[in-house]
C-alpha cells in the first residue's frame, strides 16, 4: 500500500510530485506529503486526508525546488494524521524518507536509536529509517541508505533525499514495487507506471534487493546486501498517459466499466492459431508432457481476482477434466496445502503486488508446482517470480473497485481452460471450435451490455436507499453473485450477501423482506430452471427480484419484478457479461449516495501488506 514518487531534474518538483501522487492515490489516500529541497534545506509539507488538502496547502504556501519526494498513505503503523504522514525526517532535518511497506523490526531499532539519543515524533515504522540513515551518514547518501537498509527486516520501497546532496536521490526496494522513469536530464521514481507517464515511457523496474543512486545524469543500480553494481534493462511501456486519465467520465470506475469491450478484445488478441482452431499461449511454459502429468490445478488469489479464479474453476474442470482447487491466498499460506510437482498453481492478481497472493505463489513454487501468473501489470512481482505468465492486457485500472481487470482475468482463464483441454485431449475439435467462436464474440456482445448503463441507473435510483441486498447465482454464476455483492459493499457501503442460490433455504431466506431486494443471475444453461425456482421462492416471501437473464427470455419476465437483459453466450462464459449490470448497479448506487466511488473508505487498490 501507499504510493511514492521522486523527482530530480530541471523543473519545479512540487507540481510534478502532486501530479504523480494523483495517479497513485488508488494505493492509499488517508494522508499525503512532499519533501522538497529548497536551496540548502529540506522543507516538508504533510496533510491528513485526501491529496487535495495537501495540494491546497502548497498553493497557499508554495515550495520551490528541483529535487523532491512525495507520498500518499494507507496507514499501517499509526493512525492517519499530519504527524504520521510521510515524508519522515531524522533529528537534524537533513534527511527525508518516503516508504511503502512494513519495517518488521522497527521496534528494536527504534529502542536502540532512542537509547542513542534520537527523538521520534511519529508512531510510524518508517521514521526509524530516517534516523538510521542519519546514524550511518558520513557524506555519502547512497552509502548511508544502503547501510541503513542492511539493518532493516521487512518489505519496503523507499526513496531518500538529503539536504547536503542536491544532486542525488536514493531509491531501493524489497517486496514493494518501485520503478525508475527516465527523461531527458530528469529522472523519476514511482510505485507505479501511471505516475510518470505524463513525462516518460522509458522505465526500469527495480528488482527485490536493489538500490539505485539517481542523479540528473542517470541512475546506477546496486545490490543492497553486497553493494555490487547490477546491469539494468530499460523498458518502453505501451500504456500512454491518456489511458490513465478519466477521458470525460465522472469516475474512473465508470470509464473502466465502459472500456471492457476493448479490454476483452485486447486480451484475446494474438491468442488463437492462424486457422482460429486452437488457443496459443506462448507465455505458458509448461510443455505438453508437463500438462499431461498434471493431477491438479490450484488457483490462488484475493478478492475480485479470487472470484475470477472461481469462474475459471468451472471452465477448467469442464473443458480440461482436471480437478481444480481454489484458495483465498490469505488462507492457503497457513493451511499446509497439498502441492507437488504435478500441481499447476494459477496465481491471479491485477496489480501483481498483493502480499498474500505473492506469499501463496512462493509457497506453491517452493513445493514444486509450476506457477502460472495471470496479471495486468508487466514487471510486477508476480510477473517476475512466476514460472509462466499470461497478461490480461486490460490497461491501467485506477478505480479501487476492480471491473475490467475482473472480466479480462476471466477471459484469460477461459483461454487457459481451452488450451489445457486441447493439450490433454479432453475437448473434441468441434466443441473447441464452438467455444472459441463464442469467446471471440464476447467483446462485441460486451458493447451491448455496457450500453444498458442508463437502465441500470434507474434501478440504482430506486434501490440505493436499502440497507441490504441479496445476490443469488448457481454454477459458474455463483461467483458472479459473490462479485456483485462485493462490488456493492465496497463502494456503496450497502450490506450485501452473495450466495449459491441452492443454499438460500439453509439460512439467507430469513433475510428476505420487501426492503431487501434480491439480484438473481438466471442465465440460460443447466441450472436455469433451478434459478427460476429460487426466484419463485423469493417472490413467495414478498421479496423484490431483479434478474439478470437472456435478452430474449420471456419466461423469466413472468417471475422476476425486473429483468436486466444480456446477450446469450456459452453458459461457462456468461459470467463475463452477467457481472456488468452488477458493476453498474453498485456504481450508480454509490454515485446516488454521493460517495467517493473511485476511492472508497478504508480500502486501497494494491494490498501490499498481509
Ligand atoms: C475489489 C478489488 C479487490 C482486489 C484484491 C486483489 O474490487 O479490487 O478485491 O481484487 O485486492 O487485488 P489484485 O488483483 O491486485 O491482487
Amino acid at each position: 500500500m501507499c504510493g511514492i514518487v521522486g523527482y530530480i531534474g530541471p523543473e519545479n518538483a512540487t507540481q510534478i510530485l502532486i501530479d504523480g501522487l494523483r495517479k497513485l492515490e488508488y494505493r492509499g489516500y488517508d494522508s499525503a506529503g512532499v519533501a522538497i529541497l529548497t536551496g540548502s534545506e529540506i522543507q516538508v509539507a504533510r496533510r491528513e486526508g485526501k491529496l487535495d488538502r495537501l495540494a491546497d496547502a502548497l498553493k497557499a504556501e508554495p515550495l520551490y525546488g528541483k529535487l523532491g519526494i512525495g507520498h500518499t498513505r494507507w496507514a499501517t503503523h499509526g493512525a492517519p494524521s499530519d504527524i504520521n504522514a510521510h515524508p519522515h525526517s531524522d533529528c537534524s532535518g537533513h534527511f527525508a524518507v518516503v516508504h511503502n511497506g512494513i519495517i518488521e523490526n522497527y521496534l528494536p531499532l527504534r529502542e536502540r536509536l532512542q537509547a542513542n539519543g534520537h527523538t521520534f515524533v511519529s508512531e510510524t515504522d518508517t521514521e526509524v529509517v530516517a534516523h538510521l540513515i542519519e546514524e550511518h551518514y558520513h557524506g555519502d547518501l547512497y552509502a548511508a541508505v544502503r547501510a541503513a537498509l542492511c539493518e532493516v527486516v521487512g518489505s519496503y520501497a523507499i526513496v531518500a533525499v538529503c539536504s547536503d546532496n542536491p544532486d542525488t536521490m536514493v531509491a531501493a526496494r524489497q517486496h514493494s514495487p518501485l520503478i525508475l522513469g527516465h527523461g531527458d536530464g530528469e529522472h523519476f521514481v514511482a510505485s507505479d507506471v501511471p505516475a510518470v507517464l505524463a513525462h516518460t515511457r522509458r522505465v526500469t523496474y527495480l528488482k527485490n534487493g536493489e538500490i539505485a543512486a539517481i542523479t540528473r545524469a542517470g541512475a546506477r543500480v546496486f545490490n543492497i546486501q553486497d553493494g555490487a553494481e547490477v546491469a539494468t534493462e530499460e523498458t518502453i511501456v505501451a500504456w500512454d498517459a491518456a489511458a490513465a486519465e478519466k477521458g470525460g467520465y465522472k469516475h474512473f470506475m465508470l470509464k473502466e466499466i465502459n472500456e471492457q469491450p476493448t479490454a476483452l478484445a485486447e486480451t484475446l488478441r494474438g491468442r488463437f492459431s492462424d486457422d482460429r482452431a486452437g488457443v496459443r499461449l506462448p507465455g505458458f511454459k509448461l510443455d505438453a508432457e508437463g500438462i499431461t502429468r498434471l493431477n491438479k490445478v490450484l488457483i490462488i488469489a484475493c478478492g475480485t481476482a479470487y472470484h475470477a479464479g472461481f469462474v475459471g474453476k468451472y471452465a477448467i474442470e469442464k473443458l480440461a477434466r482436471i480437478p481444480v482447487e481454489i484458495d483465498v491466498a490469505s488462507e492457503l499460506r497457513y493451511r499446509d496445502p497439498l502441492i507437488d510437482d504435478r500441481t499447476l498453481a494459477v496465481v491471479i492478481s491485477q496489480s501483481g503486488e498483493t502480499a498474500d497472493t505473492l506469499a501463496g505463489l512462493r509457497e506453491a513454487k517452493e513445493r514444486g508446482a509450476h506457477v502460472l501468473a495471470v496479471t495486468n501489470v508487466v514487471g510486477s512481482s508476480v510477473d517476475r517470480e512466476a514460472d509462466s505468465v499470461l497478461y490480461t492486457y486490460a490497461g491501467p485500472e485506477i478505480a479501487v473497485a476492480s471491473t475490467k481487470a475482473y472480466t479480462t482475468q476471466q477471459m484469460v482463464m477461459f483461454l487457459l481452460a481451452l488450451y489445457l483441454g486441447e493439450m490433454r485431449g479432453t475437448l473434441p475439435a468441434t466443441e473447441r471450435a464452438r467455444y472459441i467462436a463464442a469467446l471471440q464474440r464476447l467483446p462485441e456482445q460486451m458493447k451491448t451490455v455496457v450500453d444498458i448503463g442508463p437502465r441500470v441507473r434507474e434501478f440504482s435510483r430506486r434501490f440505493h436507499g436499502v440497507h441490504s441486498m441479496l445476490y443469488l447465482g448457481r454454477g459458474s454464476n455463483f461467483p458472479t453473485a459473490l462479485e456483485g455483492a462485493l462490488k456493492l459493499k465496497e463502494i456503496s457501503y450497502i450490506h450485501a450477501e452473495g450466495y449459491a442460490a441452492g443454499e438460500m433455504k439453509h439460512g439467507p431466506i430469513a433475510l428476505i423482506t420487501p426492503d431487501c431486494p434480491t439480484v438473481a443471475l438466471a442465465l440460460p444453461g443447466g441450472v436455469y430452471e433451478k434459478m427460476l425456482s429460487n426466484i419463485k421462492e423469493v417472490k413467495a416471501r414478498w421479496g423484490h427480484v431483479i434478474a439478470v437473464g437472456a435478452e430474449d427470455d420471456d419466461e423469466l419476465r413472468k417471475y422476476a419484478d425486473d429483468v436486466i437483459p444480456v446477450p446469450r453466450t456459452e453458459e461457462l462464459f456468461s459470467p463475463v457479461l452477467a457481472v456488468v449490470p452488477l458493476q453498474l448497479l453498485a456504481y450508480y448506487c454509490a454515485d446516488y449516495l454521493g460517495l467517493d466511488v473511485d476511492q472508497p473508505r478504508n480500502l486501497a487498490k494494491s494490498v501490499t501488506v498481509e
Side-chain angles (χ1 to χ4, degrees):
M1 324 291 261
C2 305
I4 62 184
V5 232
Y7 174 76
I8 182 167
E11 305 293 331
N12 181 24
T14 307
Q15 197 52 47
I16 290 173
L17 297 179
I18 294 291
D19 293 344
L21 290 176
R22 253 187 229 297
K23 298 288 182 302
L24 298 178
E25 269 197 293
Y26 71 85
R27 303 180 64 85
Y29 36 80
D30 59 39
S31 53
V34 294
I36 308 285
L37 185 64
T38 57
S40 59
E41 62 170 345
I42 288 177
Q43 292 198 47
V44 175
R46 301 181 291 184
R47 286 293 179 281
E48 183 193 341
K50 292 280 173 70
L51 185 61
D52 278 341
R53 289 203 61 219
L54 175 70
D56 289 347
L58 285 166
K59 264 186 211 138
E61 284 181 51
L63 295 177
Y64 293 104
K66 295 176 178 176
L67 169 67
I69 55 179
H71 188 272
T72 179
R73 182 170 187 244
W74 188 85
T76 57
H77 292 71
S81 65
D82 288 358
I83 287 291
N84 288 331
H86 298 215
H88 289 286
S89 301
D90 63 310
C91 303
S92 66
H94 281 128
F95 305 93
V97 175
V98 287
H99 166 224
N100 163 210
I102 291 180
I103 309 292
E104 287 166 17
N105 59 339
Y106 85 101
L107 270 178
L109 287 173
R110 185 174 167 127
E111 277 160 20
R112 189 194 87 203
L113 289 159
Q114 279 171 327
N116 288 354
H118 291 262
T119 306
F120 282 75
V121 293
S122 78
E123 302 157 279
T124 67
D125 52 339
T126 306
E127 197 182 339
V128 295
V129 181
H131 291 277
L132 274 177
I133 294 172
E134 182 183 17
E135 284 242 315
H136 288 288
Y137 185 71
H138 306 291
D140 180 346
L141 179 63
Y142 157 75
V145 176
R146 201 186 129 226
L149 293 180
C150 284
E151 294 201 52
V152 161
V153 177
S155 61
Y156 53 78
I158 256 170
V159 193
V161 291
C162 166
S163 56
D164 297 348
N165 289 244
D167 195 37
T168 310
M169 176 165 74
V170 178
R173 77 159 276 182
Q174 179 70 10
H175 302 309
S176 295
L178 203 61
I179 60 139
L180 310 181
H182 312 288
D184 202 6
E186 58 183 0
H187 295 273
F188 308 82
V189 183
S191 300
D192 198 359
V193 171
V196 305
L197 274 182
H199 308 282
T200 183
R201 286 162 61 181
R202 290 169 47 211
V203 305
T204 301
Y205 294 93
L206 275 195
K207 298 195 180 80
N208 277 337
E210 288 182 351
I211 179 167
I214 305 151
T215 64
R216 285 174 179 79
R220 292 176 68 192
V221 179
F222 306 86
N223 182 290
I224 296 174
Q225 291 306 322
D226 62 17
E229 186 157 3
V230 294
T232 57
E233 204 183 314
E234 211 175 279
T235 305
I236 307 292
V237 289
W239 299 349
D240 61 12
E245 300 293 343
K246 279 190 205 156
Y249 287 94
K250 186 171 179 190
H251 295 103
F252 279 112
M253 184 179 175
L254 188 58
K255 176 183 175 235
E256 288 159 8
I257 289 173
N258 279 283
E259 282 172 346
Q260 289 178 107
T262 323
L264 298 194
E266 283 302 313
T267 310
L268 294 186
R269 190 191 299 280
R271 279 172 162 167
F272 299 103
S273 56
D274 290 344
D275 59 3
R276 308 235 136 197
V279 168
R280 295 294 163 258
L281 299 175
F284 184 23
K285 306 278 189 247
L286 195 60
D287 60 16
E289 195 200 327
I291 290 178
T292 315
R293 271 188 79 240
L294 292 175
N295 62 11
K296 174 163 77 178
V297 175
L298 170 64
I299 298 173
I300 307 166
C302 297
T304 289
Y306 170 81
H307 298 155
F310 208 160
V311 170
K313 169 185 162 78
Y314 285 89
I316 295 171
E317 286 186 340
K318 169 100 177 147
L319 304 182
R321 308 307 298 155
I322 182 167
V324 181
E325 262 177 47
I326 171 151
D327 246 302
V328 171
S330 53
E331 287 297 316
L332 175 100
R333 61 192 295 190
Y334 299 112
R335 79 163 166 89
D336 195 11
L338 298 170
I339 300 173
D340 60 25
D341 63 355
R342 295 180 68 191
T343 306
L344 170 65
V346 183
V347 170
I348 308 176
S349 175
Q350 188 284 131
S351 62
E353 300 294 347
T354 300
D356 284 322
T357 308
L358 258 172
L361 179 158
R362 289 174 189 144
E363 179 85 38
K365 209 167 167 181
E366 222 163 76
R367 292 177 187 231
H370 182 95
V371 176
L372 168 65
V374 176
T375 185
N376 193 33
V377 180
V378 179
S380 60
S381 301
V382 156
D383 177 4
R384 280 202 303 271
E385 293 191 29
D387 300 304
S388 296
V389 62
L390 297 176
Y391 299 114
T392 48
Y393 298 121
E397 193 181 64
I398 308 294
V400 164
S402 187
T403 53
K404 62 176 179 169
Y406 178 59
T407 46
T408 54
Q409 284 161 353
Q410 290 183 42
M411 295 296 271
V412 170
M413 295 308 282
F414 299 149
L415 288 165
L416 179 64
L418 287 167
Y419 184 72
L420 290 174
E422 183 180 341
M423 300 298 279
R424 291 169 65 83
T426 53
L427 189 59
T430 45
E431 262 188 67
R432 197 168 67 231
R434 198 186 81 224
Y435 279 112
I436 287 177
L439 204 52
Q440 288 173 330
R441 278 194 299 276
L442 285 173
E444 258 325 287
Q445 293 180 312
M446 184 58 103
K447 283 188 190 157
T448 55
V449 186
V450 297
D451 282 349
I452 57 171
R455 251 187 101 180
V456 179
R457 183 183 184 164
E458 177 52 24
F459 293 125
S460 301
R461 189 190 60 74
R462 278 160 52 199
F463 294 113
H464 69 270
V466 301
H467 292 295
S468 187
M469 268 176 139
L470 202 56
Y471 287 72
L472 300 179
R474 295 181 95 116
S476 56
N477 277 301
F478 166 36
T480 313
L482 298 177
E483 175 63 8
L486 174 63
K487 283 287 94 86
L488 190 74
K489 277 184 274 215
E490 70 178 324
I491 58 169
S492 74
Y493 317 147
I494 296 172
H495 170 254
E497 298 261 7
Y499 256 94
E503 273 288 291
M504 199 178 57
K505 289 195 274 296
H506 302 282
I509 200 162
L511 288 176
I512 290 168
T513 65
D515 303 328
C516 172
T518 296
V519 177
L521 294 142
L523 286 309
V527 291
Y528 173 75
E529 295 295 336
K530 303 282 172 206
M531 276 307 301
L532 283 192
S533 305
N534 295 129
I535 289 172
K536 288 177 203 166
E537 285 159 7
V538 176
K539 289 303 302 166
R541 281 143 190 98
W542 297 282
H544 184 101
V545 176
I546 305 166
V548 178
E551 52 203 348
D552 53 355
D553 185 348
D554 296 329
E555 185 70 6
L556 183 57
R557 282 170 223 280
K558 292 184 197 155
Y559 305 109
D561 296 283
D562 299 293
V563 175
I564 305 178
V566 294
R568 277 181 189 261
T569 179
E570 291 291 335
E571 185 178 12
L572 281 179
F573 299 163
S574 63
V576 169
L577 303 176
V579 75
V580 178
L582 313 194
Q583 296 170 344
L584 288 162
L585 190 70
Y587 169 78
Y588 285 117
C589 281
D591 196 34
Y592 271 115
L593 289 164
L595 298 170
D596 191 343
V597 175
D598 286 335
Q599 295 178 349
R601 70 183 177 211
N602 304 338
L603 289 169
K605 183 135 192 87
S606 191
V607 184
T608 55
V609 291
E610 187 180 348

